[in-house]
Amino acid sequence: MSGVQNVTVAAGEGDQRLDRWLKRRFPQLTQGRIEKACRKGEIRVDGGRVKPATRVEAGQSVRVPPLPDEAPPPPPERPRISERDAEMIRAAVLYRDDHIIALNKPPGLATQGGSGQERHVDGLAEALRFGLEEKPRLVHRLDRDTSGILLLARTRESAKALTEAFRARDTRKIYWAAVAGVPHPRMGTIRFGLVKAPGHGKGGENEKMRCIHPDEVDRTPDAKRAVTDYAVLSALGQRVSWCALVPVTGRTHQLRAHMAEIGHPVVGDGKYGGSGQENLGDGWGAQLGGEISRKLHLHARSLTLTHPFTGGRLHLTAPLPEHMARTWAALEWHASDVPEDPFAEEE
């Protein structure tokens, strides 16, 4: 049994939960022991009582009570990933340095696990260590059926910096979508709030967002304000158009719910495309028929951000997934015909 210790939080160990810091320093400590010691005041930070979730900072002194001389538990076994999945997720890497990995996430692959979700980016990130001890961390999400750029942080420090950049909106995300009809005006801003609709499936598979008029958001429980900029890049008559979308805020299903609310759901969106899926023009109906895929036509095309460590501006672009590339070819839409950022050009 050891005696009382006063341990200083080292540089690089700051801004993390106390319980996580303790487990890294003292692997024999269980979560239950930590919570009990905090309740009894046996664990203190700079002399003050704390909770397990208290965040510690570099230079602080942590009082650690006597610990049993137990051998640390064996490290947890890493999840097994098939060689096929490992090759798939590595092939999706668009950019990599010592701090960041950017993926072109395939459609149909969930970002995180959940009820019934056993195959997801967070789990497959085990194959993206590339020599580092820790697997990359997610710093934002994409819907399962949305493809495109997804960032992962390779260290805890870069995860903190990237999370703060997304929270401060110091990033520029542009999505490409094929939508039913042609929005009018051809460039605008959608400001409907969003709230979760009732009647979700037990696995969350029926989760859906309901749009709320901006004037009603503050009076609607749990509603959140949401803002989307859109611009029409090209159109085929009045039946379908190619739109650039910028989520000024980042709410669940925001782009899909907003486009449906103004009468122009994303092609292939069975959730927000209405009960009548046929699209005969002028909007509504999420299916075009013919050779056009029934998959969701929403793609995180580009992401621009300030690199958290070099300070340079990083611009990433993701090629369209196969089903959207086929649609673009069928409609004779070409990336070379449109500006990278139509909103910047307009300004």
Side-chain angles (χ1 to χ4, degrees), residues 307-325:
H307 194 287
F309 293 93
T310 69
R313 201 65 176 160
L314 183 63
H315 180 74
L316 305 166
T317 303
L320 290 170
E322 183 180 346
H323 74 282
M324 288 182 67

Side-chain angles (χ1 to χ4, degrees), residues 2 12 64 117 135 154 202 244 259 266-267 271 304 329 334:
S2 66
V64 181
Q117 293 289 344
K135 75 170 187 177
R154 301 194 70 193
K202 63 180 181 179
M259 295 311 294
V266 176
V267 170
K271 180 169 290 189
T304 304
H334 305 286

Side-chain angles (χ1 to χ4, degrees), residues 276-337:
Q277 288 286 294
E278 188 178 9
N279 166 26
L280 300 177
D282 296 323
W284 281 111
Q287 302 302 336
L288 296 182
E291 298 299 316
I292 305 302
S293 170
R294 296 175 66 87
K295 292 182 179 179
L296 186 71
H297 283 59
L298 181 62
H299 177 70
R301 169 66 175 179
S302 68
L303 175 63
T304 304
L305 70 155
T306 300
H307 194 287
F309 293 93
T310 69
R313 201 65 176 160
L314 183 63
H315 180 74
L316 305 166
T317 303
L320 290 170
E322 183 180 346
H323 74 282
M324 288 182 67
R326 289 198 308 268
T327 297
W328 262 237
L331 300 178
E332 298 186 354
W333 290 343
H334 305 286
S336 58
D337 294 337

Side-chain angles (χ1 to χ4, degrees), residues 191-269:
R191 301 183 185 277
F192 287 97
L194 294 169
V195 66
K196 282 187 178 181
H200 301 172
K202 63 180 181 179
E205 67 275 7
N206 293 322
E207 181 182 85
K208 190 171 181 178
M209 306 303 289
R210 181 167 60 90
C211 284
I212 304 293
H213 190 278
D215 293 343
E216 299 296 323
V217 172
D218 293 339
R219 295 191 289 271
T220 304
D222 300 322
K224 295 180 179 179
R225 295 197 176 274
V227 179
T228 299
D229 291 333
Y230 73 87
V232 176
L233 303 180
S234 187
L236 180 65
Q238 292 298 309
R239 191 160 184 222
V240 61
S241 56
W242 169 10
C243 286
L245 309 174
V246 172
V248 179
T249 54
R251 310 301 185 196
T252 300
H253 297 176
Q254 175 178 315
L255 301 181
R256 297 164 61 186
H258 270 178
M259 295 311 294
E261 183 66 19
I262 66 170
H264 303 282
V266 176
V267 170
D269 193 345

